[in-house]
Amino acid sequence: MSKARVFLPGSTIGVMGGGQLGRMFAIAARRMGYRVHTFSPDEDTPTGQLADREVAARYDDAAAVRDFARRVDVLTFEFENIPVQTVEWAAQFCEVRPAASVLHVCQHRLREKEFLDQAGVPLPGFKAVASAGELAAAVAEIGLPAVLKTAAFGYDGKGQRKIAPGDNLVEAWAPFAGTGAVLEQFVHFEKEISVLVARGADGQTATYPVCENVHRNHILDVTIVPANISPAAEAKARALAAGIADKLGLVGLLAVEMFLLADGSILVNELAPRPHNSGHFSFDASVTSQFEQQLRAVCGLPLGRTASLSPAAMVNLLGDLWADGEPDWAAVLAMPEVKLHLYGKAEPRAGRKMGHLTAFGATAQLAAERALAARDALRGSLGK
Ligand code: AMP
């Protein structure tokens, strides 16, 4: 195998996608003396506001993609639903990490599950479904309750529907008609956890302490680190994530979302080959943030230490928080154990991720209480 190329400070990193993950990546990269270019269909994006150069063009604009790739040394992603064709155009002109093959697996739920299944990774029972008839057959095999999910382009619970006993399957299928879907066994989990793992160009892996996640309306709400789980579960989760990164041949960062069951077993829910919302704590609370780690991995540098500097908790700030006007920033900025992150998005739509808070504490539970109290204070509920 030829030696992997190394990109040192002064190099230019291209980021496909323009959201908050790219924004925080750009902050980490620019801090270390790299230049950052970003490509997405939009202008004045969260990433573009921090980048040296922002290109607004469609992912299927071959000329724009090639021109973008010519001007960067290495290309990475903050969003995995980029057409593989786009990545292949770019790969003619620059290094691409992670490789198109990793995106190909991770941007399609069914391909991802089949890959994991073949790799021997424990998963909730699943079955591919392409019609109402196949849904009935899948229900007979998997049982109810179950969750029907679109095969492609789903995130944050979009394109999902729980199916309970007695539901009309023809009606349940209607919104999925014309798309591939997967029926998945409903898991009565004890906790949702996630593991961030980086894999360098030399095949070395580094996992972060396990995150414990609470979702609200299918969107991540709170993450605490370290997770309140047994040392055995912690070790098993980290080993699973490292094994998946190896099997993917990943060069970059991967988040592995998992369900922890009452009997201590773990099932993998899904993969994201990029920084992840549950890893935001690391920006303030880790020796090496997930964004710096992504940079290190894609630049062929040694990986940084993943240990936490403090127990921490992260809460998301969704657009809903703006319902009664501008949140009370001053209240939160007066809290010395709380860090405010805002993503530079102009329009606070309901459900839109606008920012997050990270809080520190002697334990992750105390940090979580602080983070939640801080979010309440933003609503002005602690009395202005
Ligand atoms: P996903 O988009 O697949 O990550 O799903 C979003 C959220 O829906 C997950 O974080 C879980 O809270 C819930 N969920 C998804 N799949 C299942 C399942 N098979 N059983 C129970 N809950 C699920």
Side-chain angles (χ1 to χ4, degrees):
M1 207 175 89
S2 62
K3 208 161 160 7
R5 286 180 66 194
V6 171
F7 301 94
L8 291 171
S11 304
T12 302
I13 322 283
V15 179
M16 283 281 172
Q20 62 269 17
L21 302 173
R23 179 185 184 88
M24 290 181 269
F25 173 83
I27 293 170
R30 293 191 67 157
R31 192 176 73 167
M32 285 170 59
Y34 288 86
R35 294 194 168 272
V36 177
H37 294 185
T38 175
F39 187 109
S40 84
D42 303 313
E43 275 172 29
D44 191 32
T45 60
T47 310
Q49 291 165 9
L50 270 291
D52 294 272
R53 180 164 182 260
E54 176 177 56
V55 174
R58 289 164 51 109
Y59 293 121
D60 61 4
D61 181 341
V65 171
R66 290 195 175 106
D67 182 60
F68 181 78
R70 264 190 213 105
R71 297 168 193 233
V72 305
D73 296 302
V74 55
L75 183 75
T76 192
F77 310 91
E78 67 99 50
F79 171 66
E80 69 270 31
N81 289 327
I82 310 273
V84 166
Q85 171 75 75
T86 304
V87 182
E88 284 164 356
W89 289 329
Q92 296 167 344
F93 298 99
C94 66
E95 194 81 32
V96 178
R97 295 177 179 167
S101 57
V102 173
L103 287 199
H104 184 67
V105 169
C106 297
Q107 66 187 203
H108 191 270
R109 208 181 281 280
L110 186 58
R111 272 201 295 273
E112 182 176 289
K113 285 184 184 294
E114 284 169 348
F115 164 82
L116 291 168
D117 201 31
Q118 276 158 23
V121 172
L123 300 174
F126 71 96
K127 191 103 182 96
V129 175
S131 65
E134 285 186 19
L135 177 59
V139 163
E141 186 176 322
I142 287 178
L144 293 176
V147 188
L148 185 61
K149 302 181 177 182
T150 51
F153 300 111
Y155 68 97
D156 283 349
K158 293 191 170 72
Q160 285 198 22
R161 194 206 139 132
K162 187 170 170 183
I163 300 184
D167 284 358
N168 180 319
L169 297 184
V170 173
E171 272 170 25
W173 176 254
F176 291 82
T179 68
V182 181
L183 185 75
E184 199 178 293
Q185 172 197 4
F186 186 84
V187 180
H188 296 278
F189 54 78
E190 187 167 87
K191 286 179 193 285
E192 288 194 78
I193 58 175
S194 56
V195 179
L196 294 157
V197 55
R199 187 169 178 277
D202 60 356
Q204 182 202 0
T205 57
T207 57
Y208 281 78
V210 175
C211 303
E212 179 174 337
N213 304 317
V214 178
H215 292 79
R216 188 189 285 183
N217 299 329
H218 294 279
I219 300 175
L220 182 64
D221 188 37
V222 182
T223 295
I224 67 167
V225 186
N228 185 16
I229 59 176
S230 70
E234 171 92 20
K236 196 194 297 184
R238 292 175 79 155
L240 252 179
I244 293 168
D246 271 337
K247 287 190 182 107
L248 277 172
L250 173 83
V251 178
L253 193 76
L254 176 75
V256 184
E257 295 180 26
M258 307 175 188
F259 300 126
L260 176 63
L261 279 58
D263 67 359
S265 58
I266 292 175
L267 301 175
V268 168
N269 176 26
E270 65 177 4
L271 309 179
R274 49 160 172 81
H276 192 254
N277 195 168
S278 64
H280 288 359
F281 78 94
S282 68
F283 210 14
D284 297 303
S286 301
V287 176
T288 308
S289 75
Q290 63 168 344
F291 307 102
E292 181 182 334
Q293 198 75 307
Q294 179 189 20
L295 176 75
R296 286 172 166 272
V298 304
C299 288
L301 305 178
L303 300 178
R305 197 154 79 86
T306 57
S308 292
L309 298 163
S310 165
M314 188 270 338
V315 295
N316 271 332
L317 305 180
L318 301 184
D320 314 56
L321 206 60
W322 275 250
D324 298 322
E326 192 71 9
D328 185 358
W329 305 123
V332 152
L333 294 170
M335 299 177 171
E337 300 288 344
V338 178
K339 299 287 184 185
L340 172 65
H341 297 255
L342 290 172
Y343 306 149
K345 298 181 184 178
E347 212 188 310
R349 291 192 295 272
R352 191 175 195 203
K353 291 175 181 171
M354 302 296 291
H356 69 269
L357 301 174
T358 303
F360 307 113
T363 66
Q365 300 303 333
L366 286 172
E369 283 164 24
R370 246 182 209 141
L372 290 167
R375 190 168 60 185
D376 281 347
L378 283 178
R379 294 193 188 98
S381 57
L382 290 192
K384 274 192 252 186

